């Protein structure tokens, strides 16, 4: 049967804003912003290279400390999930969010709940893991329409890469191919098949 599981989601994404009036010159195929050298194709994002030099923006570092996230036995099975965005923030400005329009659109989702099913299964080693393809497809259908997912799969035994093809509702029939790659992962020992109700995990991915 289905059980209820609520996942409150807090979204905090960083952005940055360019300093006005910065001197720009072109030298041998690169664009020079004050003392920072940026590629010519950086275009209007040359200011980001300045932010990197000043230390205002840093590259996220992480390692894959485990081949997957292992959940306690009580999470095995199918769950009814309610997920809500609590807040959306861009401490350095909306540009790194994608664009001011993307930031504004994201803020419209604050307080809105997304309901979908999530499944946790046994791995070939007998440990409880998320059924990633099922869960991503379920979330995508809840967010973009029942017919939005054409395919969604991961390589057997590889929890670090997932591929999906989408036709979002309202996109005029356009087809989108997406690939999710896990960049970093870690968890506390409580998730290692412990019967405890408490455990901690973190995972970062790129689309």
């Amino acid at each position: 049967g289905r059980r209820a599981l609520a996942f409150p989601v807090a979204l905090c994404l960083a952005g940055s804003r360019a300093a006005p009036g910065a001197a720009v010159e072109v030298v041998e195929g690169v664009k020079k912003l004050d003392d920072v050298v940026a590629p010519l194709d950086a275009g209007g994002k040359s200011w980001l290279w300045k932010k990197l030099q000043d230390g205002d923006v840093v590259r996220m570092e992480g390692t894959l400390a485990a081949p997957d996230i292992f959940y306690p036995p009580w999470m095995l099975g199918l769950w009814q999930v309610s997920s809500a965005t609590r807040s959306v923030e861009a401490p350095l400005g909306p540009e790194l969010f994608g664009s001011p329009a993307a930031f504004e659109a994201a803020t419209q989702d604050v307080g809105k709940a997304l309901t979908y099913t999530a499944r946790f299964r046994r791995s070939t080693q007998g440990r409880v893991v998320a059924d990633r393809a099922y869960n991503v497809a379920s979330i995508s259908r809840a967010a973009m329409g029942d017919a939005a997912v054409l395919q969604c799969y991961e390589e057997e035994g590889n929890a670090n890469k997932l591929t999906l093809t989408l036709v979002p509702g309202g996109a005029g029939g356009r087809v989108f191919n997406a690939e999710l790659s896990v960049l970093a992962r870690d968890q506390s020992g409580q998730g290692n098949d412990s019967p405890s109700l408490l455990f901690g995990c973190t995972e970062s991915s790129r689309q």
Side-chain angles (χ1 to χ4, degrees), residues 116-205:
Y116 54 93
T117 57
R119 188 164 66 193
F120 295 83
R121 58 178 178 81
R122 291 281 184 187
S123 69
T124 54
Q125 292 77 32
R127 308 181 78 173
V128 178
V129 297
D131 188 332
R132 293 172 181 268
Y134 177 93
N135 295 346
V136 169
S138 181
I139 294 170
S140 299
R141 291 188 182 100
M144 293 180 279
D146 291 340
V149 181
L150 293 183
Q151 64 175 356
C152 183
Y153 63 91
E154 63 179 352
E155 298 175 9
E156 182 63 32
N158 182 8
N160 301 328
K161 185 177 178 180
L162 187 143
T163 302
L164 65 158
T165 303
L166 301 170
V167 185
R174 287 180 296 172
V175 178
F176 298 86
N177 294 312
E179 185 176 280
L180 301 178
S181 299
V182 178
L183 304 178
R185 176 189 298 121
D186 203 356
Q187 73 175 102
S188 69
Q190 290 298 317
N192 268 338
D193 288 343
S194 166
S196 171
L197 295 179
L198 300 176
F199 68 98
C201 62
T202 178
E203 192 171 85
S204 302
S205 61

